[in-house]
Amino acid sequence: MLKPYAANPEASIGRHYDEPPSELINGVPVRNAFQRDRDRIIHSTAFRRLEYKTQVFVNHEGDLFRTRLTHSLEVAQLARGIARTLNLHEDLIEGIALAHDLGHTPFGHAGQDALNDCMRDFGGFEHNLQSLRVVEKLEQRYAEFDGLNLTFELREGILKHCSIKNAKQIGDVGLRFINKTNPSLEAQVTNFADEIAYNNHDVDDGLRSGLITIEQLQSVELFATQLDIVKTKYPKLEQKRMIHETIRRMINVLVVDLCTQSAKNIAQLNPQNIQDIRQASYLVGFSDEMTTKNHALKQFLRKNLYQHYKVNRMSAKAERIIRELFAVFLGDIGLMPHEFQQYAKEDRARAVADYIAGMTDRFAIREHRRLFAVEEYF
Ligand code: MG
């Protein structure tokens, strides 16, 4: 029951390279264009590497924490649920969710900041733009083109934000930043699903790691309200279950608010097609009250988890690894694998950034050791 303003694979703006349509069985395509997009993402190298990349915690710190892969799966699950409620295209939304973090560097935010700093004189580094670069250029799997040749709608969904300067260099998907229009509702929903996923799983991982405590979280209204409900209903519940019961309720409250408010915004506009959505202001969002509560949760996490001294120590180490790898490769591109030496002929610094950005946490650590430790040979 798709709404007329949902993205429609039959009416897709299309792919860079024309491809034959999917085979038909009883007159029905085996896969629609958005399903093909999603399947290509799942089969990509960059997608598999998400398993060994992290956001806050370094991969080897423990097996219990979220990785970029499990994060992306959680985003896809939330986004699909919201898509079904709002009658949007689930296949597209799933594809956007699974691809949204493909361009992330090793070591989460610390890695991205360090690489951006290294690239300061060479056009900078932005993970969001890099996700696009992965699906448009760096994946090399198909005979007839570089990248995955995804639909416009999928690529539009990947690019959450973009500077005007960069937007002018990336063709079709950059235009909306110049024209100040908005992406599909599927893209808008995925942005919020991303945020709901990471805020909540960071609370969970933060508690499990012991870097934040339930007592501290009492100051966050969103958490405290749900914790009270759980404690009243199950006064003797052990802590592990209590935390999960609280977090699942938080997620639910956020998702319900997002669906309710977004449906209201859409109804008010009464859009007839996807063009109406693109021309309108951003329609997906929380109520004002929930925006405030969600903001307080984010602030709490920033102050108490992302800037915890133990996280800072790890970030400092990660930054050093990225900086040293960058300097050594930029100084001698012959130290990189052949394909990146080829890229380096076009743009030396960008090729180094591409190589480093593609690394997993553990590969970057090993690569650093291989290049700097005298007792390592390769
Ligand atoms: Mg994300």
mmCIF file of all heavy atoms in Angstrom, residues 46-76:
data_model
loop_
_atom_site.group_PDB
_atom_site.id
_atom_site.type_symbol
_atom_site.label_atom_id
_atom_site.label_comp_id
_atom_site.label_asym_id
_atom_site.label_seq_id
_atom_site.Cartn_x
_atom_site.Cartn_y
_atom_site.Cartn_z
ATOM 1 N N ALA A 46 32.872 -3.366 0.953
ATOM 2 C CA ALA A 46 32.773 -2.348 2.006
ATOM 3 C C ALA A 46 31.740 -2.751 3.063
ATOM 4 O O ALA A 46 31.921 -2.479 4.246
ATOM 5 C CB ALA A 46 32.408 -0.999 1.394
ATOM 6 N N PHE A 47 30.675 -3.413 2.639
ATOM 7 C CA PHE A 47 29.643 -3.826 3.598
ATOM 8 C C PHE A 47 30.209 -4.877 4.562
ATOM 9 O O PHE A 47 30.002 -4.794 5.770
ATOM 10 C CB PHE A 47 28.416 -4.378 2.863
ATOM 11 C CG PHE A 47 27.287 -4.736 3.786
ATOM 12 C CD1 PHE A 47 26.552 -3.747 4.427
ATOM 13 C CD2 PHE A 47 26.956 -6.067 4.031
ATOM 14 C CE1 PHE A 47 25.513 -4.068 5.296
ATOM 15 C CE2 PHE A 47 25.921 -6.403 4.892
ATOM 16 C CZ PHE A 47 25.196 -5.397 5.524
ATOM 17 N N ARG A 48 30.940 -5.851 4.040
ATOM 18 C CA ARG A 48 31.523 -6.885 4.916
ATOM 19 C C ARG A 48 32.493 -6.279 5.920
ATOM 20 O O ARG A 48 32.590 -6.721 7.056
ATOM 21 C CB ARG A 48 32.245 -7.937 4.082
ATOM 22 C CG ARG A 48 31.325 -8.954 3.450
ATOM 23 C CD ARG A 48 32.108 -10.148 2.930
ATOM 24 N NE ARG A 48 33.010 -9.781 1.858
ATOM 25 C CZ ARG A 48 32.635 -9.573 0.596
ATOM 26 N NH1 ARG A 48 31.366 -9.686 0.270
ATOM 27 N NH2 ARG A 48 33.506 -9.245 -0.328
ATOM 28 N N ARG A 49 33.204 -5.240 5.489
ATOM 29 C CA ARG A 49 34.194 -4.634 6.387
ATOM 30 C C ARG A 49 33.552 -3.914 7.580
ATOM 31 O O ARG A 49 34.220 -3.646 8.579
ATOM 32 C CB ARG A 49 35.050 -3.633 5.619
ATOM 33 C CG ARG A 49 36.032 -4.320 4.704
ATOM 34 C CD ARG A 49 36.920 -3.278 4.071
ATOM 35 N NE ARG A 49 37.827 -3.897 3.136
ATOM 36 C CZ ARG A 49 38.312 -3.273 2.068
ATOM 37 N NH1 ARG A 49 37.967 -2.010 1.838
ATOM 38 N NH2 ARG A 49 39.142 -3.872 1.266
ATOM 39 N N LEU A 50 32.260 -3.581 7.450
ATOM 40 C CA LEU A 50 31.593 -2.882 8.559
ATOM 41 C C LEU A 50 31.643 -3.702 9.848
ATOM 42 O O LEU A 50 31.559 -3.178 10.940
ATOM 43 C CB LEU A 50 30.132 -2.579 8.203
ATOM 44 C CG LEU A 50 29.871 -1.593 7.068
ATOM 45 C CD1 LEU A 50 28.373 -1.477 6.804
ATOM 46 C CD2 LEU A 50 30.443 -0.214 7.412
ATOM 47 N N GLU A 51 31.787 -5.018 9.680
ATOM 48 C CA GLU A 51 31.841 -5.899 10.849
ATOM 49 C C GLU A 51 33.029 -5.554 11.756
ATOM 50 O O GLU A 51 32.982 -5.767 12.962
ATOM 51 C CB GLU A 51 31.950 -7.358 10.385
ATOM 52 C CG GLU A 51 31.962 -8.355 11.521
ATOM 53 C CD GLU A 51 31.952 -9.801 11.061
ATOM 54 O OE1 GLU A 51 31.990 -10.051 9.841
ATOM 55 O OE2 GLU A 51 31.916 -10.675 11.942
ATOM 56 N N TYR A 52 34.099 -5.048 11.149
ATOM 57 C CA TYR A 52 35.308 -4.787 11.934
ATOM 58 C C TYR A 52 35.612 -3.291 12.047
ATOM 59 O O TYR A 52 36.753 -2.901 12.222
ATOM 60 C CB TYR A 52 36.491 -5.553 11.341
ATOM 61 C CG TYR A 52 36.227 -7.040 11.306
ATOM 62 C CD1 TYR A 52 35.926 -7.688 10.120
ATOM 63 C CD2 TYR A 52 36.237 -7.780 12.491
ATOM 64 C CE1 TYR A 52 35.642 -9.045 10.094
ATOM 65 C CE2 TYR A 52 35.954 -9.134 12.482
ATOM 66 C CZ TYR A 52 35.660 -9.766 11.285
ATOM 67 O OH TYR A 52 35.377 -11.100 11.281
ATOM 68 N N LYS A 53 34.550 -2.497 11.905
ATOM 69 C CA LYS A 53 34.719 -1.062 12.140
ATOM 70 C C LYS A 53 33.813 -0.649 13.285
ATOM 71 O O LYS A 53 32.746 -1.233 13.479
ATOM 72 C CB LYS A 53 34.335 -0.262 10.887
ATOM 73 C CG LYS A 53 35.272 -0.472 9.718
ATOM 74 C CD LYS A 53 35.026 0.577 8.657
ATOM 75 C CE LYS A 53 35.898 0.310 7.443
ATOM 76 N NZ LYS A 53 36.015 1.480 6.574
ATOM 77 N N THR A 54 34.225 0.358 14.019
ATOM 78 C CA THR A 54 33.450 0.745 15.194
ATOM 79 C C THR A 54 33.098 2.215 15.178
ATOM 80 O O THR A 54 33.635 2.990 14.399
ATOM 81 C CB THR A 54 34.252 0.471 16.477
ATOM 82 O OG1 THR A 54 35.566 0.936 16.259
ATOM 83 C CG2 THR A 54 34.235 -0.991 16.808
ATOM 84 N N GLN A 55 32.207 2.584 16.073
ATOM 85 C CA GLN A 55 31.799 3.984 16.190
ATOM 86 C C GLN A 55 32.438 4.615 17.414
ATOM 87 O O GLN A 55 33.049 5.655 17.335
ATOM 88 C CB GLN A 55 30.287 4.083 16.328
ATOM 89 C CG GLN A 55 29.561 3.287 15.291
ATOM 90 C CD GLN A 55 28.240 3.927 14.915
ATOM 91 O OE1 GLN A 55 28.130 4.535 13.870
ATOM 92 N NE2 GLN A 55 27.251 3.788 15.751
ATOM 93 N N VAL A 56 32.259 3.995 18.557
ATOM 94 C CA VAL A 56 32.779 4.570 19.807
ATOM 95 C C VAL A 56 33.900 3.702 20.362
ATOM 96 O O VAL A 56 34.951 4.188 20.734
ATOM 97 C CB VAL A 56 31.651 4.692 20.868
ATOM 98 C CG1 VAL A 56 32.197 5.308 22.141
ATOM 99 C CG2 VAL A 56 30.496 5.523 20.335
ATOM 100 N N PHE A 57 33.656 2.398 20.378
ATOM 101 C CA PHE A 57 34.626 1.482 20.967
ATOM 102 C C PHE A 57 35.460 0.851 19.861
ATOM 103 O O PHE A 57 34.943 0.566 18.791
ATOM 104 C CB PHE A 57 33.897 0.391 21.740
ATOM 105 C CG PHE A 57 33.039 0.928 22.837
ATOM 106 C CD1 PHE A 57 31.723 1.287 22.600
ATOM 107 C CD2 PHE A 57 33.562 1.123 24.104
ATOM 108 C CE1 PHE A 57 30.929 1.812 23.603
ATOM 109 C CE2 PHE A 57 32.782 1.653 25.110
ATOM 110 C CZ PHE A 57 31.463 1.998 24.868
ATOM 111 N N VAL A 58 36.736 0.617 20.132
ATOM 112 C CA VAL A 58 37.552 -0.036 19.118
ATOM 113 C C VAL A 58 37.195 -1.517 19.079
ATOM 114 O O VAL A 58 36.878 -2.120 20.095
ATOM 115 C CB VAL A 58 39.055 0.193 19.391
ATOM 116 C CG1 VAL A 58 39.914 -0.720 18.526
ATOM 117 C CG2 VAL A 58 39.404 1.628 19.097
ATOM 118 N N ASN A 59 37.229 -2.071 17.874
ATOM 119 C CA ASN A 59 36.746 -3.425 17.640
ATOM 120 C C ASN A 59 37.302 -4.483 18.590
ATOM 121 O O ASN A 59 36.590 -5.368 19.031
ATOM 122 C CB ASN A 59 37.054 -3.794 16.189
ATOM 123 C CG ASN A 59 36.386 -5.084 15.783
ATOM 124 O OD1 ASN A 59 37.048 -6.078 15.600
ATOM 125 N ND2 ASN A 59 35.072 -5.083 15.684
ATOM 126 N N HIS A 60 38.567 -4.384 18.943
ATOM 127 C CA HIS A 60 39.147 -5.457 19.751
ATOM 128 C C HIS A 60 38.879 -5.283 21.243
ATOM 129 O O HIS A 60 39.278 -6.089 22.052
ATOM 130 C CB HIS A 60 40.659 -5.556 19.497
ATOM 131 C CG HIS A 60 41.405 -4.335 19.931
ATOM 132 N ND1 HIS A 60 41.769 -3.337 19.039
ATOM 133 C CD2 HIS A 60 41.805 -3.916 21.155
ATOM 134 C CE1 HIS A 60 42.383 -2.382 19.722
ATOM 135 N NE2 HIS A 60 42.409 -2.705 20.986
ATOM 136 N N GLU A 61 38.179 -4.223 21.623
ATOM 137 C CA GLU A 61 37.937 -3.988 23.051
ATOM 138 C C GLU A 61 36.974 -4.988 23.662
ATOM 139 O O GLU A 61 36.911 -5.168 24.858
ATOM 140 C CB GLU A 61 37.403 -2.572 23.274
ATOM 141 C CG GLU A 61 38.490 -1.527 23.155
ATOM 142 C CD GLU A 61 37.965 -0.138 23.408
ATOM 143 O OE1 GLU A 61 36.754 0.071 23.268
ATOM 144 O OE2 GLU A 61 38.774 0.719 23.745
ATOM 145 N N GLY A 62 36.176 -5.593 22.826
ATOM 146 C CA GLY A 62 35.251 -6.592 23.339
ATOM 147 C C GLY A 62 34.288 -6.981 22.253
ATOM 148 O O GLY A 62 34.062 -6.225 21.320
ATOM 149 N N ASP A 63 33.733 -8.177 22.391
ATOM 150 C CA ASP A 63 32.833 -8.656 21.348
ATOM 151 C C ASP A 63 31.393 -8.246 21.608
ATOM 152 O O ASP A 63 30.504 -8.606 20.859
ATOM 153 C CB ASP A 63 32.910 -10.185 21.272
ATOM 154 C CG ASP A 63 34.279 -10.639 20.805
ATOM 155 O OD1 ASP A 63 34.994 -9.813 20.216
ATOM 156 O OD2 ASP A 63 34.626 -11.803 21.045
ATOM 157 N N LEU A 64 31.164 -7.532 22.701
ATOM 158 C CA LEU A 64 29.785 -7.253 23.088
ATOM 159 C C LEU A 64 29.252 -5.960 22.508
ATOM 160 O O LEU A 64 28.056 -5.720 22.484
ATOM 161 C CB LEU A 64 29.694 -7.153 24.622
ATOM 162 C CG LEU A 64 30.103 -8.412 25.366
ATOM 163 C CD1 LEU A 64 30.234 -8.118 26.848
ATOM 164 C CD2 LEU A 64 29.074 -9.499 25.145
ATOM 165 N N PHE A 65 30.165 -5.126 22.021
ATOM 166 C CA PHE A 65 29.731 -3.806 21.583
ATOM 167 C C PHE A 65 29.257 -3.815 20.138
ATOM 168 O O PHE A 65 29.605 -4.691 19.368
ATOM 169 C CB PHE A 65 30.880 -2.800 21.745
ATOM 170 C CG PHE A 65 31.381 -2.721 23.155
ATOM 171 C CD1 PHE A 65 32.715 -2.940 23.452
ATOM 172 C CD2 PHE A 65 30.499 -2.443 24.193
ATOM 173 C CE1 PHE A 65 33.169 -2.886 24.755
ATOM 174 C CE2 PHE A 65 30.946 -2.388 25.505
ATOM 175 C CZ PHE A 65 32.289 -2.611 25.785
ATOM 176 N N ARG A 66 28.489 -2.797 19.806
ATOM 177 C CA ARG A 66 28.033 -2.643 18.428
ATOM 178 C C ARG A 66 29.210 -2.384 17.518
ATOM 179 O O ARG A 66 30.161 -1.698 17.881
ATOM 180 C CB ARG A 66 27.093 -1.437 18.302
ATOM 181 C CG ARG A 66 25.631 -1.785 18.374
ATOM 182 C CD ARG A 66 25.267 -2.197 19.744
ATOM 183 N NE ARG A 66 23.825 -2.345 19.926
ATOM 184 C CZ ARG A 66 23.291 -2.570 21.107
ATOM 185 N NH1 ARG A 66 24.029 -2.681 22.182
ATOM 186 N NH2 ARG A 66 21.983 -2.711 21.209
ATOM 187 N N THR A 67 29.104 -2.910 16.321
ATOM 188 C CA THR A 67 30.038 -2.547 15.261
ATOM 189 C C THR A 67 29.226 -1.744 14.250
ATOM 190 O O THR A 67 28.007 -1.638 14.379
ATOM 191 C CB THR A 67 30.587 -3.804 14.572
ATOM 192 O OG1 THR A 67 29.494 -4.440 13.906
ATOM 193 C CG2 THR A 67 31.207 -4.764 15.565
ATOM 194 N N ARG A 68 29.889 -1.258 13.215
ATOM 195 C CA ARG A 68 29.134 -0.533 12.186
ATOM 196 C C ARG A 68 28.167 -1.462 11.452
ATOM 197 O O ARG A 68 27.160 -1.008 10.941
ATOM 198 C CB ARG A 68 30.081 0.128 11.191
ATOM 199 C CG ARG A 68 30.859 1.236 11.806
ATOM 200 C CD ARG A 68 30.827 2.494 10.978
ATOM 201 N NE ARG A 68 31.563 3.543 11.679
ATOM 202 C CZ ARG A 68 31.004 4.608 12.207
ATOM 203 N NH1 ARG A 68 29.711 4.796 12.133
ATOM 204 N NH2 ARG A 68 31.747 5.501 12.820
ATOM 205 N N LEU A 69 28.508 -2.739 11.424
ATOM 206 C CA LEU A 69 27.601 -3.684 10.761
ATOM 207 C C LEU A 69 26.317 -3.854 11.575
ATOM 208 O O LEU A 69 25.213 -3.723 11.043
ATOM 209 C CB LEU A 69 28.286 -5.037 10.560
ATOM 210 C CG LEU A 69 27.420 -6.097 9.869
ATOM 211 C CD1 LEU A 69 27.097 -5.701 8.435
ATOM 212 C CD2 LEU A 69 28.104 -7.457 9.877
ATOM 213 N N THR A 70 26.459 -4.150 12.862
ATOM 214 C CA THR A 70 25.242 -4.362 13.663
ATOM 215 C C THR A 70 24.467 -3.050 13.801
ATOM 216 O O THR A 70 23.244 -3.046 13.829
ATOM 217 C CB THR A 70 25.556 -4.973 15.047
ATOM 218 O OG1 THR A 70 26.444 -4.109 15.756
ATOM 219 C CG2 THR A 70 26.185 -6.345 14.912
ATOM 220 N N HIS A 71 25.200 -1.940 13.846
ATOM 221 C CA HIS A 71 24.520 -0.626 13.852
ATOM 222 C C HIS A 71 23.675 -0.477 12.589
ATOM 223 O O HIS A 71 22.495 -0.110 12.658
ATOM 224 C CB HIS A 71 25.543 0.502 13.949
ATOM 225 C CG HIS A 71 25.002 1.839 13.537
ATOM 226 N ND1 HIS A 71 24.073 2.523 14.283
ATOM 227 C CD2 HIS A 71 25.239 2.593 12.436
ATOM 228 C CE1 HIS A 71 23.754 3.655 13.648
ATOM 229 N NE2 HIS A 71 24.447 3.717 12.538
ATOM 230 N N SER A 72 24.260 -0.779 11.440
ATOM 231 C CA SER A 72 23.540 -0.619 10.175
ATOM 232 C C SER A 72 22.311 -1.527 10.119
ATOM 233 O O SER A 72 21.275 -1.143 9.589
ATOM 234 C CB SER A 72 24.459 -0.915 8.988
ATOM 235 O OG SER A 72 25.552 -0.012 8.999
ATOM 236 N N LEU A 73 22.430 -2.730 10.686
ATOM 237 C CA LEU A 73 21.278 -3.638 10.718
ATOM 238 C C LEU A 73 20.176 -3.085 11.614
ATOM 239 O O LEU A 73 18.985 -3.184 11.303
ATOM 240 C CB LEU A 73 21.708 -5.030 11.203
ATOM 241 C CG LEU A 73 22.664 -5.800 10.290
ATOM 242 C CD1 LEU A 73 23.126 -7.090 10.952
ATOM 243 C CD2 LEU A 73 22.020 -6.108 8.947
ATOM 244 N N GLU A 74 20.570 -2.486 12.731
ATOM 245 C CA GLU A 74 19.568 -1.886 13.625
ATOM 246 C C GLU A 74 18.877 -0.708 12.949
ATOM 247 O O GLU A 74 17.668 -0.522 13.069
ATOM 248 C CB GLU A 74 20.212 -1.449 14.953
ATOM 249 C CG GLU A 74 20.613 -2.639 15.816
ATOM 250 C CD GLU A 74 21.170 -2.244 17.190
ATOM 251 O OE1 GLU A 74 20.816 -1.165 17.694
ATOM 252 O OE2 GLU A 74 21.957 -3.033 17.744
ATOM 253 N N VAL A 75 19.654 0.085 12.222
ATOM 254 C CA VAL A 75 19.074 1.219 11.495
ATOM 255 C C VAL A 75 18.076 0.693 10.458
ATOM 256 O O VAL A 75 16.957 1.209 10.333
ATOM 257 C CB VAL A 75 20.162 2.070 10.800
ATOM 258 C CG1 VAL A 75 19.524 3.187 9.969
ATOM 259 C CG2 VAL A 75 21.123 2.668 11.824
ATOM 260 N N ALA A 76 18.478 -0.357 9.744
ATOM 261 C CA ALA A 76 17.598 -0.915 8.709
ATOM 262 C C ALA A 76 16.301 -1.436 9.328
ATOM 263 O O ALA A 76 15.209 -1.222 8.790
ATOM 264 C CB ALA A 76 18.318 -2.037 7.960
#
